[in-house]
Amino acid sequence: MNPKKIFAACALSLAIAPASAMAERGSDGQVNIIYWQAPSIMNPYLSGGTKELEAASLVIEPLARYDQDGNLTPWLAESVPTVANGGVSEDLMSITWKLKSGLLWSDGSPVTSTDVKFSWEYCTAEGGGCSQAEKYLDITDVETPDETTVVVRFAIPKPFPYNPFVGAQAPIIQKAQFENCMGAKAPECTDQNFYPIGTGPFAVTEFRPNDVITLEANDNYRDPSKPAFAKVLFKGGGDANAAARSVLETGEFDYAWNLQLAPDVLASMEAAGKGKVISAFGTSVERIMINFTDIDPALGDERGTIAHPHPFLTDINVRKALSMAIDRVLLTEIGYGPAGIPTCNVLPAPAIYASTANDACLTQDIAGANEILENAGWVKGADGVRAKDGVRLSILYQTSTNAVRQDYQALIKQWWSEIGVETELRNINASVFFGSDPGSPDTFQKFFADVEMYTNNFDGTDPESYMANWQCDQRPRPETQWQGNNMPRYCNDEYDKLSMSMASVGGLEERAAIARQLNDMLMQDYAMLPLTHRGRVAAHSNRLGGVVMNTWDSELWNVADWTRIE
């Protein structure tokens, strides 16, 4: 396929997000939202956690985003640029965005192309540790010929030029607010990171990290009839069970996110008649990440860095055996029921990107795992734990505190014991585990454990930037304030080269083939162990209208359209 035809092949419809008829801004009072993983910051450039991305999406917005069907939709931009409409150059080396006219920040100042350019400069500043750096790969310059025009120039032809400034992971921030927060200073700017000035339907009035956010309608929002709600109470903390009950049984809250509960539990709550459970499949995968580095505290500042390889997880035989011992089908049935699908891939969707090369992992093989370890010289001792050259297979396995995750941990610990692996289980409060504090030893980015388990996904339907997460330079480390998305610290020059090549390949089938190959490299290196392709599950009150579940962007993407139903 000609590279220029990718735009048609990807079916990027330019539909405008549906609007609801509303009487006037703020007429519906307060909406109560509960995210039991509490946000610790309102700046998605300093956190890769979904809870931060989604909370921030109430306030700061991108040029374009993805709708509920995965279609690219203009947001702060007038339209989505393509080759056909002249917005993307014929040589695919640049994309030109035009801002909607009259856009204002919540402080009343105009939004200009300078703010867009600054957002790129902020994320790519040296020492800043931007969590979304992969969104800005291959950019050589961002030009601002006038106040509403932004020209993004690339070092190579970009058949898919929609990573920068698109989706909840790459929003526009105000230059005037953040210009003194560049590079290493970024985490120190508490006021800016907690109270960003935005273009979204709401503005923060109070931010209490890992607890409560209060917001009020943005008086300068571009649609004078929206949002319908005057205030938002955004509650964090607790657990999935309590969050679900607060919507489905007590009616205290209007919307609850990420209801990671057994299906029969949710069905029982829904029977109370106060709310509705909603779900949809996107790209979310619950996975175990393998740490390729040594996390011995004696290593000090070099703990968890590639300067010190892991004492036994660098042996592919061990990683493979750990995978073979897991019964993914049983885990998924117990944990998610119809809201989960057992998977052997970290890239399970859209369908064109899903590989079938790793499906053997769907069959548990305890005997085979034992044989692999035995043949590799890992011998069981009197205590039943395998060892080699004085190194015991003893694993610290961490995840966030959640009933389903603790069920997964317990079962996996049992299976690993059957192959001679000792496992210590650790669970951490989700608000801390998925937090952004570079000083905390307990974040999933810092990864001071041998293996860790969580779910992740990506904006939109094109996986180019997502697969770039596991390039060598994406690993969290002290120099990046422990930000980055390559949690395993996986480093493979062949992977990096192939991942970078995707940026210049246009045909959809060719891109899909590369994406599948990248997925297979990760899977066959056992850099991570996918377990369950998860549907997103949430619940909303029967009195809350306008909710449209979106698995391709922030779930709160159309909060401006939410209304109170009497």
Side-chain angles (χ1 to χ4, degrees):
M1 183 183 290
N2 187 303
K4 296 173 186 175
K5 293 183 180 179
I6 188 175
F7 305 100
C10 287
L12 301 175
S13 82
L14 310 184
I16 301 297
S20 303
M22 297 185 185
E24 60 180 295
R25 176 179 293 156
S27 59
D28 285 345
Q30 179 171 295
V31 62
N32 297 327
I33 299 172
I34 185 164
Y35 273 45
W36 56 272
Q37 295 177 10
S40 58
I41 199 169
M42 290 289 283
N43 183 350
Y45 287 122
L46 297 184
S47 174
T50 302
K51 58 193 176 72
E52 279 84 21
L53 296 176
E54 302 213 350
S57 73
L58 294 166
V59 177
I60 50 180
E61 304 174 301
L63 296 181
R65 69 184 342 147
Y66 295 90
D67 70 12
Q68 71 273 23
D69 297 317
N71 299 314
L72 196 56
T73 303
W75 216 252
L76 295 182
E78 288 183 347
S79 61
V80 176
T82 64
V83 172
N85 66 24
V88 175
S89 63
E90 289 285 335
D91 61 6
L92 309 180
M93 296 286 285
S94 69
I95 181 171
T96 300
W97 296 89
K98 292 287 290 185
L99 291 170
K100 290 178 178 176
S101 62
L103 289 175
L104 297 176
W105 293 104
S106 56
D107 65 359
S109 61
V111 179
T112 71
S113 55
T114 302
D115 295 304
V116 181
K117 179 177 182 177
F118 173 77
S119 301
W120 162 64
E121 293 173 334
Y122 176 88
C123 187
T124 56
E126 186 175 353
C130 180
S131 293
Q132 316 303 333
E134 75 279 0
K135 294 287 186 178
Y136 298 101
L137 294 176
D138 303 318
I139 295 178
T140 58
D141 196 16
V142 176
E143 298 174 2
T144 55
D146 59 55
E147 290 195 343
T148 61
T149 304
V150 179
V151 182
V152 182
R153 299 200 180 278
F154 300 105
I156 57 175
K158 295 285 282 189
F160 189 86
Y162 304 116
N163 288 320
F165 315 121
V166 173
Q169 297 176 350
I172 310 306
I173 58 176
Q174 188 190 57
K175 179 178 180 179
Q177 184 183 29
F178 283 91
E179 61 185 341
N180 293 322
C181 301
M182 301 283 281
K185 294 181 180 179
E188 302 170 5
C189 292
T190 302
D191 286 348
Q192 291 87 339
N193 294 330
F194 287 0
Y195 297 88
I197 294 167
T199 56
F202 296 99
V204 181
T205 55
E206 182 181 14
F207 184 87
R208 298 195 331 233
N210 301 323
D211 188 5
V212 173
I213 312 167
T214 57
L215 305 98
E216 63 183 10
N218 174 6
D219 289 337
N220 292 301
Y221 188 60
R222 56 192 172 276
D223 187 328
S225 67
K226 300 178 183 179
F229 289 101
K231 296 182 179 180
V232 176
L233 173 67
F234 194 109
K235 179 71 175 73
D239 55 45
N241 187 74
R245 288 189 66 251
S246 71
V247 172
L248 298 172
E249 292 185 347
T250 70
E252 179 185 1
F253 281 83
D254 296 297
Y255 189 88
W257 163 86
N258 190 24
L259 299 184
Q260 198 172 0
L261 296 166
D264 59 323
V265 174
L266 283 174
S268 175
M269 291 183 184
E270 192 174 24
K274 291 192 175 183
K276 178 181 180 182
V277 176
I278 55 176
S279 64
F281 278 93
T283 59
S284 296
V285 173
E286 184 84 357
R287 83 288 298 270
I288 293 174
M289 291 297 201
I290 303 293
N291 198 335
F292 282 74
T293 66
D294 194 340
I295 46 90
D296 185 347
L299 295 172
D301 292 342
E302 293 188 347
R303 183 186 188 193
T305 68
I306 60 170
H308 300 279
H310 196 279
F312 60 83
L313 288 175
T314 47
D315 183 344
I316 192 171
N317 297 292
V318 175
R319 304 195 301 271
K320 183 176 181 179
L322 293 175
S323 180
M324 292 172 65
I326 297 171
D327 188 339
R328 290 163 171 83
V329 175
L330 180 59
L331 284 177
T332 302
E333 179 183 346
I334 291 172
Y336 298 98
I341 302 169
T343 187
C344 300
N345 298 313
V346 75
L347 179 60
I352 192 171
Y353 299 113
S355 172
T356 59
N358 312 295
D359 288 354
C361 96
L362 297 175
T363 301
Q364 184 187 40
D365 187 359
I366 296 286
N370 272 306
E371 184 179 1
I372 284 175
L373 291 173
E374 197 73 31
N375 291 340
W378 295 95
V379 180
K380 284 187 179 180
D383 59 358
V385 178
R386 293 185 182 274
K388 179 180 178 180
D389 299 329
V391 176
R392 298 171 76 248
L393 295 187
S394 183
I395 284 177
L396 174 60
Y397 175 6
Q398 72 178 19
T399 188
S400 63
T401 305
N402 170 269
V404 172
R405 288 198 167 125
Q406 271 66 80
D407 285 346
Y408 270 42
Q409 280 186 309
L411 285 166
I412 291 169
K413 176 179 180 177
Q414 173 59 37
W415 294 325
W416 284 353
S417 73
E418 294 175 26
I419 64 170
V421 176
E422 179 181 67
T423 307
E424 177 188 349
L425 301 181
R426 182 180 187 222
N427 65 80
I428 302 166
N429 179 281
S431 299
V432 175
F433 185 64
F434 295 112
S436 59
D437 181 2
S440 171
D442 297 323
T443 65
F444 77 125
Q445 295 103 325
K446 193 159 281 187
F447 195 0
F448 285 169
D450 301 297
V451 301
E452 66 180 3
M453 181 174 68
Y454 60 90
T455 289
N456 206 351
N457 60 1
F458 60 94
D459 281 352
T461 58
D462 186 273
E464 179 186 322
S465 63
Y466 180 62
M467 300 313 290
N469 283 341
W470 296 289
Q471 292 179 9
C472 297
D473 65 0
Q474 289 294 313
R475 64 189 185 279
R477 52 198 186 276
E479 306 93 270
T480 66
Q481 309 285 336
W482 293 103
Q483 295 296 331
N485 293 304
N486 183 354
M487 306 313 172
R489 286 61 158 157
Y490 179 76
C491 192
N492 180 329
D493 291 342
E494 184 182 351
Y495 183 92
D496 282 14
K497 183 178 180 181
L498 184 62
S499 175
M500 292 174 186
S501 76
M502 195 173 179
S504 58
V505 172
L508 185 59
E509 292 288 347
E510 296 171 85
R511 290 174 69 78
I514 292 174
R516 290 193 299 268
Q517 189 176 350
L518 290 167
N519 172 86
D520 293 347
M521 289 176 71
L522 293 170
M523 300 305 94
Q524 290 160 26
D525 265 353
Y526 300 93
M528 58 198 74
L529 312 179
L531 304 172
T532 301
H533 179 194
R534 287 179 50 193
R536 284 199 187 187
V537 180
H540 67 81
S541 164
N542 290 334
R543 297 183 61 240
L544 183 63
V547 176
V548 179
M549 173 59 91
N550 188 341
T551 64
W552 310 109
D553 207 297
S554 168
E555 280 185 32
L556 305 179
W557 72 294
N558 77 326
V559 69
D561 296 327
W562 289 9
T563 61
R564 178 68 69 204
I565 301 173
E566 299 298 338

